[in-house]
Amino acid sequence: MTLLKVFTSLLLSALLAACGQSSNSTNTVESLAANPERLKELRQQCKLDRATLGDALCNRVAEATRRRFMGDGKVPYTPPKESPNF
């Protein structure tokens, strides 16, 4: 009977741990870049306590910040038809 209790508690703790990780996975780079308020909040939390939030989430926050600042990189470079005269 005690083996069943141990197994049940291990299973329950594994499920709770999985639930905690799934909440961070909803914070994708695209969703964070589209939501500046949430991005600002998470940037502040990453500055204060990166160990609690985890490297994966803080890296997504940094990438979303970079994309908001630099763009998505899909704008092609079109050079001028004539080169400039110096």
Side-chain angles (χ1 to χ4, degrees):
M1 190 72 163
T2 57
L3 183 61
L4 181 61
K5 287 181 182 180
V6 171
F7 179 73
T8 306
S9 65
L10 288 174
L11 182 63
L12 182 60
S13 61
L15 287 173
L16 288 175
C19 290
Q21 291 174 352
S22 68
S23 67
N24 285 339
S25 66
T26 60
N27 292 319
T28 63
V29 173
E30 291 79 18
S31 69
L32 290 172
N35 188 351
E37 293 85 21
R38 177 75 176 143
L39 181 61
K40 182 178 179 181
E41 174 187 325
L42 286 174
R43 283 181 62 206
Q44 185 65 27
Q45 289 177 7
C46 284
K47 282 182 186 179
L48 296 175
D49 197 8
R50 185 179 182 102
T52 301
L53 290 177
D55 285 337
L57 177 59
C58 289
N59 288 342
R60 287 192 302 264
V61 168
E63 178 63 19
T65 302
R66 187 197 66 77
R67 284 190 189 176
R68 283 190 55 82
F69 183 74
M70 299 292 285
D72 59 4
K74 294 182 181 177
V75 179
Y77 171 71
T78 53
K81 293 182 181 188
E82 296 180 20
S83 61
N85 295 332
F86 292 107

